[in-house]
Amino acid sequence: MTRAARELFVDGGETGRLMAALDWGSTPLGGVDTWSQSLRAAVRIVLSSRYPMLLLWGTEFTQLYNDAYSALIGDKHPGALGDDVRVTLAEGWDVLAPLIEEAMATGVASWVPALQLLLERSGYREEAYFSVSHAPARDDDGRTVGIFTVCSEVTEQVVSQRRMRLLRDLAVRGGDAAPDVDGTCTRLAETISGHPLDVPFAAVYLREGDRLRRAACTDDEQVRAALPAETSDDDAVWGIATAAGGSAAEIGGLPARLTLPAGPWGDPVVTALALPLPSAEAGQPLGVLVAGVSPSRALDESYRSFYELLAQQVAVAVRNARAYEEERRRAEALAELDRVKTSFFTNVSHEFRTPLTLMLGPLADALDDEEEPLSGRQRERVETAQRNATRLLALVNNLLTFASVEAGRARSDTRRVDLAALTRELASVFRSAVERAGLRLEVNCPPLPRAVTIDPVNWERIVTNLLSNALKYTFVGRITVELHADEAGVRLTIADTGIGISDAELPRLFDRFHRVPGVRSRSHEGTGIGLALVRELARLEGGEVQVHSRAGSGTAFTVTLPWTALDRPATANGPAEGTVGAAARGAAREAAGWLADSPGTPVPATPGDVTGARILVVDDNADMRAYLTRILSDQGWHVRAVGDGRQAWESIGHETPDLVLTDVMMPHMDGFELIRRLRRDPATGALPVLVLSARAGAEASVEGLALGADDYVVKPFAATELIARIRAALSGARLRRGTAPVAPGGAVSSYADPGPEETAGAATADAGLPAAPAMDGVRRPDVSRPEAVRAVDSSWTYRSEPAAAATMRRDLRAALTTLDADPDLVQDLVTAASEAMNNAVEHAQHPSRPEVRVGLRVDGGRVRITVRDFGTWRDRRPAMDRGRGAAVMNACADVRLVCHADGTTVTLERSV
């Protein structure tokens, strides 16, 4: 090595040492001693840079480069030193040559970002990307004799961005709603087909039982022919079995199965991967993704990570598609169920019309009959029946209309009408009820510029529902009805100064069956479809309805009808005789019922009132209050009737009744809240309360009885049954207070048979009182005996079936006989236990254990029998049970009932 070479290459690092040792005399550049100052300066610049730099010098493009550049050319280093670049980068020269020649010819530097080059630096034809600058290198005379090449490899950035685009596209296409899972898989395959440089081919297999079915693959006939359409979990072809078990598999030697050119240079795919599609269940993938590996990229850790992300993205899309498909099927099933329900609803409502017609017709005939006029009391009863049958007919008509609208079968029977006159007429129907409520009704409906075409029946329903709603929720101030026209159309506004609606409730106000909870109203009655029907009918007429409201400040509903909807051709001629006004009059009569009766009017007792029992009736329906007052007064009881729970609470504060008979769903304070208050107050904690409600079923009765109600009677009811239950409750209460029964023949019943969660103490007479009479002649004689009775503690377990009662009676009778107890006592206890056993078998549903446990304990002069079931309570139909079991048990023993989370225990006790 010459001194000149040592000095030139001394700071060039490893590459500099190699260059110093190189025999440059054998290269086109000649010995280092002969190099020009320009070449030496250029070499120093290259070697001193830490950025990859290449110097091409002379007509042979001899290469000189630094350590940073040597890393870019891989195994071509160090052989490239002093060699012709056209030989070293022969595979990429067709791309580089134009850039280098242009820079040498023009003397102007160039810059090319992310230049794609084919390199064979790692033993395969590699896809690589470089950002390259070519600048002229001049000799001592200023002539361009070489090229400075400054470059940086951006392969990883370019490939990573490309792969991220694919993953993003998969997320977007996979998230689009598809008709089914296969459709989603097809979209995913189409998306992958658009990125062949990273994924030459792909196929998605989904698990169906113990087999895997090809749901989709990239659009290439060779791939479709080579990949199996279906395979099993134990099929080793294409590594699918391994992937189906949860582990990725690498498949080599592909050219023997599939000849598929890929990559930028069209090289055949050599390797593929089979990847599991992860699911929520470990070890049980959704399926398998088979994907080809680019022949132009090494299958390194980065490439494998990309494929794992690809499989996860496909799996997420498939899972979402399955969830969407299941949700769509559920929605379709619900829609079909809704259609069937609506059809059934319509058919049943139609069937109601025939019996209603046969009810209303004879009722009207009876009221109008002058030859055989009704007496005062009979007329009152018939008028009550007529009012409520008319109300039921209005409900049926509303339900039929709503069902027709929901099913898309509703139509508009349009006629030419004077809309202002029709609206004034409908509003006037409500004037009497509004004024009785202490409100003002202001109607401002000036004549419209011209007659309009509309269905008058639908318009009547719209106006009637909005006016009824306003009266129901307005207690002071006024109700305003305005109809105005402008250039756009006609606007109906019905506003009130009522309680208003909170912002949270406004979005759901027109939803069917939605009722705003906990608000003050004149009545709790209603179906929750009135406003929904208003919206649907307004839309049917080509308009829309809007609401503006503030809590505590009133509400305004505005129905807007454009002129285009009001200028339609009429489908019928003449007025709709016999139809318009009937619904409004019925609604007005119903609204007047909300205002009937001054609360708390007592009815004088009749001479047959032997006990002077005072009963408080609580119901928001005026006809129901009048009916209950009449039938209870006939029994000789004092009756006070009020319209809601708040009035009842105030009435009880002034005068405590002997019994409260209350409805559940009422305005201001419902029946359940009334019971809560009564039971919390020591002064009324023992006051008998009977719940009378249209809410049938176990949940409603359980809730009422759990709060402390003594009985729960479901509407409709028989008057005789209600009277019997009231007598039993009054008798039990008076016996607990140590007084005489209400009336001869009344059954003692403090055990509330229909309720599962009541804990009722049985009526127990003092030692000096006579036994209380019971149903079927069963009496409880005084059988207290002075002699000692030995202690007993026994238990039996029986299957929960009707036949078990007979076995239980034999076992219990045998155990009681050994006590040398009074035969009447034994008979009473066996009878009471038999009734409790029958109740346990009959009422316990979905038992956690299909058994009934019976225990017998005798200690300290008391006999205690327990009957325990392990199911939830089931109500009987009223027609099947009239409370006989409760009455018999209470007549034969002291009864307690306790409900647990997993069953019910009845305890029967007697002294011996």
Side-chain angles (χ1 to χ4, degrees):
M1 180 188 302
T2 65
R3 180 180 176 183
R6 262 196 321 272
E7 293 176 351
L8 180 61
F9 301 123
V10 66
D11 295 327
E14 180 62 27
T15 304
R17 287 191 290 274
L18 291 173
M19 293 171 69
L22 186 65
D23 181 12
W24 289 100
S26 61
T27 69
L29 297 182
V32 175
D33 296 337
T34 65
W35 289 4
S36 65
Q37 288 300 320
S38 299
L39 176 56
R40 289 171 182 269
V43 170
R44 287 191 178 95
I45 293 173
V46 170
L47 291 178
S48 64
S49 175
R50 294 187 178 183
Y51 209 77
M53 291 187 69
L54 167 68
L55 175 62
L56 305 177
W57 196 270
T59 57
E60 300 300 322
F61 295 114
T62 303
Q63 302 172 90
L64 300 98
Y65 51 83
N66 58 11
D67 283 342
Y69 182 82
S70 67
L72 299 183
I73 59 176
D75 55 12
K76 294 178 181 291
H77 172 73
L81 284 171
D83 199 5
D84 191 335
V85 72
R86 292 171 293 186
V87 176
T88 302
L89 301 179
E91 65 274 18
W93 185 247
D94 58 335
V95 176
L96 293 171
L99 301 173
I100 293 173
E101 290 171 357
E102 181 181 0
M104 292 193 69
T106 64
V108 179
S110 65
W111 165 256
V112 181
L115 178 67
Q116 186 186 67
L117 286 177
L118 169 61
L119 292 181
E120 295 183 6
R121 58 182 176 178
S122 302
Y124 67 96
R125 291 161 57 83
E126 181 181 357
E127 172 193 8
Y129 294 87
F130 296 88
S131 292
V132 183
S133 174
H134 294 97
R138 295 179 173 86
D139 62 8
D140 295 343
D141 298 329
R143 292 178 297 113
T144 300
V145 294
I147 292 293
F148 278 113
T149 300
V150 181
C151 61
S152 63
E153 184 169 6
V154 292
T155 304
E156 288 300 323
Q157 294 93 313
V158 171
V159 172
S160 296
Q161 290 175 5
R162 194 171 65 204
R163 292 171 180 171
M164 288 301 296
R165 268 197 308 274
L166 170 55
L167 296 176
R168 182 200 62 199
D169 292 346
L170 284 176
V172 172
R173 293 296 304 278
D176 292 342
D180 52 27
V181 175
D182 284 357
T184 297
C185 292
T186 300
R187 289 186 179 185
L188 296 174
E190 291 173 352
T191 303
I192 294 173
S193 296
H195 297 76
L197 292 180
D198 294 302
V199 187
F201 71 88
V204 179
Y205 287 82
L206 296 181
R207 186 183 297 279
E208 292 184 353
D210 60 348
R211 304 192 67 78
L212 291 161
R213 176 182 61 84
R214 190 181 71 200
C217 71
T218 50
D219 190 16
D220 191 289
E221 291 301 326
Q222 289 183 329
V223 176
R224 294 180 186 276
L227 290 171
E230 190 177 85
T231 181
S232 61
D233 284 351
D234 56 0
D235 194 338
V237 177
W238 290 89
I240 293 176
T242 303
S247 302
E250 184 175 334
I251 311 142
L254 250 61
R257 311 180 198 178
L258 172 65
T259 304
L260 182 68
W265 330 119
D267 299 322
V269 178
V270 178
T271 307
L273 293 177
L275 301 155
L277 299 178
S279 69
E281 300 179 16
Q284 186 73 6
L286 293 171
V288 174
L289 173 67
V290 177
V293 176
S294 172
S296 303
R297 295 296 304 160
L299 189 56
D300 54 15
E301 183 179 353
S302 174
Y303 206 176
R304 290 181 184 274
S305 297
F306 161 70
Y307 274 114
E308 291 175 1
L309 292 173
L310 181 69
Q312 290 175 9
Q313 196 69 56
V314 171
V316 168
V318 171
R319 288 201 301 268
N320 289 342
R322 284 188 172 174
Y324 176 81
E325 189 172 359
E326 290 174 2
E327 186 64 29
R328 180 173 55 81
R329 288 174 180 168
R330 279 197 297 269
E332 290 174 352
L334 289 173
E336 175 63 17
L337 181 63
D338 192 58
R339 187 194 64 77
V340 172
K341 179 192 69 177
T342 301
S343 178
F344 172 76
F345 202 22
T346 303
N347 293 337
V348 170
S349 298
H350 273 294
E351 290 300 317
F352 280 158
R353 282 183 163 178
T354 298
L356 279 171
T357 301
L358 296 176
M359 291 166 57
L360 287 168
L363 289 173
D365 293 343
L367 291 171
D368 296 338
D369 193 341
E370 296 181 356
E371 294 182 0
E372 298 181 11
L374 297 172
S375 64
R377 298 209 49 180
Q378 292 298 334
R379 174 171 290 277
E380 182 183 353
R381 292 170 179 169
V382 173
E383 286 175 345
T384 299
Q386 186 191 45
R387 281 195 304 272
N388 286 276
T390 303
R391 180 178 175 229
L392 182 58
L393 179 61
L395 289 173
V396 169
N397 289 336
N398 278 339
L399 292 175
L400 277 172
T401 302
F402 191 78
S404 298
V405 171
E406 287 282 291
R409 296 193 300 267
R411 63 186 182 88
S412 177
D413 186 14
T414 57
R415 301 167 186 269
R416 299 291 289 179
V417 298
D418 183 345
L419 195 61
L422 176 60
T423 305
R424 287 195 299 270
E425 178 184 350
L426 295 173
S428 66
V429 174
F430 284 83
R431 184 172 296 279
S432 174
V434 171
E435 292 177 351
R436 281 185 59 193
L439 306 174
R440 298 194 311 277
L441 178 62
E442 299 176 357
V443 181
N444 181 17
C445 300
L448 299 180
R450 59 181 183 271
V452 301
T453 303
I454 198 171
D455 186 334
V457 176
N458 287 345
W459 186 252
E460 178 184 7
R461 292 193 178 108
I462 291 172
V463 175
T464 296
N465 274 295
L466 293 179
L467 278 172
S468 296
N469 216 54
L471 178 56
K472 190 174 187 178
Y473 296 103
T474 304
F475 296 88
V476 293
R478 65 181 182 276
I479 298 173
T480 303
V481 181
E482 295 183 342
L483 185 73
H484 295 289
D486 55 22
E487 295 180 356
V490 175
R491 290 191 317 277
L492 167 71
T493 301
I494 297 182
D496 61 60
T497 57
I499 62 172
I501 305 163
S502 66
D503 293 341
E505 293 292 338
L506 285 176
R508 299 187 57 200
L509 195 61
F510 294 103
D511 291 353
R512 61 178 181 172
F513 309 124
H514 176 68
R515 303 183 69 179
V516 179
V519 298
R520 182 187 179 196
S521 64
R522 296 188 183 276
S523 172
H524 201 72
E525 297 173 340
T527 59
I529 65 171
L531 292 179
L533 188 60
V534 167
R535 180 177 64 177
E536 297 302 328
L537 291 177
R539 290 176 175 176
L540 185 64
E541 295 300 324
E544 191 56 82
V545 60
Q546 294 178 324
V547 58
H548 300 281
S549 182
R550 285 183 59 191
S553 301
T555 304
F557 289 92
T558 301
V559 179
T560 305
L561 297 171
W563 286 116
T564 53
L566 297 172
D567 290 336
R568 294 172 291 170
T571 59
N573 296 321
E577 295 183 4
T579 57
V580 177
R585 288 189 292 272
R589 282 195 297 269
E590 181 181 353
W594 304 335
L595 313 170
D597 297 348
S598 58
T601 303
V603 177
T606 63
D609 182 5
V610 295
T611 61
R614 296 162 300 177
I615 298 177
L616 177 64
V617 172
V618 191
D619 199 298
D620 62 334
N621 184 284
D623 282 335
M624 181 59 69
R625 292 197 300 271
Y627 174 67
L628 291 173
T629 299
R630 185 170 63 249
I631 64 172
L632 299 181
S633 298
D634 288 345
Q635 301 302 311
W637 292 321
H638 295 277
V639 181
R640 179 181 294 271
V642 296
D644 58 60
R646 189 172 64 186
Q647 295 176 6
W649 180 249
E650 294 172 353
S651 175
I652 293 170
H654 291 97
E655 180 182 5
T656 303
D658 295 308
L659 181 141
V660 175
L661 179 63
T662 179
D663 190 15
V664 173
M665 300 176 68
M666 297 179 293
H668 309 311
M669 182 192 299
D670 64 21
F672 288 161
E673 178 60 27
L674 175 62
I675 296 173
R676 289 190 190 94
R677 294 196 181 188
L678 291 173
R679 293 299 177 246
R680 285 198 300 261
D681 189 340
T684 58
L687 180 64
V689 179
L690 271 69
V691 176
L692 184 65
S693 177
R695 291 178 59 185
E699 290 184 2
S701 60
V702 165
E703 184 177 1
L705 294 167
L707 291 173
D710 293 84
D711 206 344
Y712 194 100
V713 182
V714 178
K715 301 174 184 177
F717 56 86
T720 54
E721 176 191 6
L722 177 62
I723 291 169
R725 289 177 183 256
I726 292 174
R727 284 188 182 280
L730 288 169
S731 297
R734 295 199 174 191
L735 282 173
R736 284 193 292 271
R737 294 195 303 267
T739 60
V742 173
V748 179
S749 176
S750 62
Y751 172 91
D753 196 359
E757 294 194 21
E758 181 186 14
T759 303
T764 306
D766 292 336
L769 293 175
M775 295 182 68
D776 300 334
V778 179
R779 297 181 60 82
R780 185 189 302 177
D782 184 3
V783 295
S784 301
R785 303 178 67 173
E787 55 267 30
V789 178
R790 65 183 179 86
V792 175
D793 193 352
S794 302
S795 64
W796 302 269
T797 300
Y798 304 94
R799 291 186 60 81
S800 182
E801 56 188 22
T807 306
M808 186 275 299
R809 284 194 295 270
R810 288 195 299 270
D811 295 339
L812 187 60
R813 188 181 297 277
L816 291 171
T817 303
T818 63
L819 301 178
D820 192 25
D822 186 281
D824 289 341
L825 169 66
V826 173
Q827 180 62 39
D828 283 355
L829 291 173
V830 170
T831 301
S834 180
E835 291 294 339
M837 182 75 175
N838 290 334
N839 276 346
V841 173
E842 179 182 359
H843 297 301
Q845 61 179 350
H846 308 304
S848 58
R849 303 178 189 175
E851 63 189 37
V852 179
R853 292 183 182 178
V854 178
L856 170 64
R857 183 180 180 84
V858 181
D859 189 19
R862 297 285 290 179
V863 180
R864 180 182 298 109
I865 300 171
T866 58
V867 180
R868 167 77 185 275
D869 63 63
F870 296 88
T872 56
W873 192 266
R874 176 179 61 214
D875 273 354
R876 296 172 305 279
R877 289 177 296 168
M880 300 296 293
D881 190 297
R882 297 299 179 182
R884 178 182 180 278
V888 170
M889 278 189 282
N890 278 282
C892 295
D894 297 336
V895 186
R896 293 197 310 277
L897 180 145
V898 178
C899 276
H900 317 276
D902 58 347
T904 304
T905 300
V906 176
T907 302
L908 311 167
E909 287 192 43
R910 285 287 299 272
S911 298
V912 296

